[in-house]
């Protein structure tokens, strides 16, 4: 199972501490899943917003002409779950958030399982507020 975990907390000591807590929690949850189900083939792919380009693509384009685009589609399709958390310095309208926003939108368009914390939740709200998407199905606890 391929699990993409995006660190949008930044490189500051506080950001690193927050991300390590986030990562630890995710691994702890999947360890419990493994204990109950016997599934233990979890592959954690850890990226930051500036290194997401190989998982993003133009959803509405025809990939037959561009091998990079086709490879990015395959990379994205190989993901089973996406976890994103981070600080507000990656606001949806900032250029540094382009790949992060694109990833969130792709998760919506393809119904990929997405945990959207912090900045990813802000991106979802931005898409809803601007009419970029019609609706999201949000699961919060039970």
């Amino acid at each position: 199972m391929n699990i993409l975990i995006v660190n949008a907390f930044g490189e500051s000591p506080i950001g690193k501490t927050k991300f390590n807590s986030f990562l630890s929690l995710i691994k702890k949850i999947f360890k419990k899943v493994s204990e109950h189900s016997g599934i233990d083939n979890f592959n954690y792919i850890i990226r930051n917003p500036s290194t997401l380009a190989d998982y993003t693509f133009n959803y509405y384009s025809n990939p037959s002409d561009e091998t990079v685009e086709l490879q990015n589609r395959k990379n994205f399709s190989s993901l089973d779950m996406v976890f994103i958390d981070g600080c507000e310095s990656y606001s949806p309208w900032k250029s540094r958030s382009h790949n992060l926003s694109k990833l969130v939108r792709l998760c919506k368009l393809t119904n990929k399982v997405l945990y959207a914390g912090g900045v990813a939740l802000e991106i979802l709200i931005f898409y809803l507020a601007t009419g970029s998407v019609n609706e999201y199905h949000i699961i919060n606890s039970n």
Side-chain angles (χ1 to χ4, degrees):
M1 179 178 277
N2 291 322
I3 303 165
L4 177 63
I5 304 169
V6 181
N7 174 7
F9 287 107
E11 294 298 319
S12 71
I14 293 172
K16 287 179 182 179
T17 300
K18 287 181 179 181
F19 177 71
N20 287 335
S21 295
F22 179 59
L23 180 61
S24 176
L25 180 62
I26 292 168
K27 288 183 175 183
K28 188 177 186 180
I29 290 168
F30 281 103
K31 184 177 180 185
K32 285 186 180 185
V33 167
S34 177
E35 291 169 359
H36 292 321
S37 68
I39 299 170
D40 64 353
N41 61 338
F42 303 115
N43 178 34
Y44 302 105
I45 304 161
I46 300 169
R47 297 292 181 95
N48 62 48
S50 65
T51 60
L52 288 173
D54 57 335
Y55 287 96
T56 62
F57 57 91
N58 183 353
Y59 181 78
Y60 297 106
S61 72
N62 181 356
S64 61
D65 298 335
E66 300 178 37
T67 55
V68 171
E69 184 91 354
L70 185 58
Q71 184 59 50
N72 290 4
R73 286 176 183 263
K74 287 179 182 177
N75 293 344
F76 180 80
S77 293
S78 73
L79 299 174
D80 296 296
M81 298 177 139
V82 177
F83 289 80
I84 304 171
D85 201 358
C87 63
E88 64 280 351
S89 67
Y90 288 97
S91 298
W93 48 86
K94 293 185 178 178
S95 62
R96 71 185 287 203
S97 303
H98 178 74
N99 285 334
L100 188 59
S101 293
K102 207 171 187 180
L103 180 66
V104 170
R105 186 166 176 81
L106 285 170
C107 288
K108 166 58 180 157
L109 292 170
T110 61
N111 292 318
K112 183 84 59 188
V113 175
L114 170 67
Y115 169 86
V119 66
L121 184 58
E122 289 176 357
I123 291 169
L124 292 175
I125 292 167
F126 176 77
Y127 282 149
L128 286 169
T130 59
S132 299
V133 295
N134 294 331
E135 65 179 61
Y136 281 99
H137 298 286
I138 298 173
I139 301 170
N140 189 7
S141 190
N142 295 330

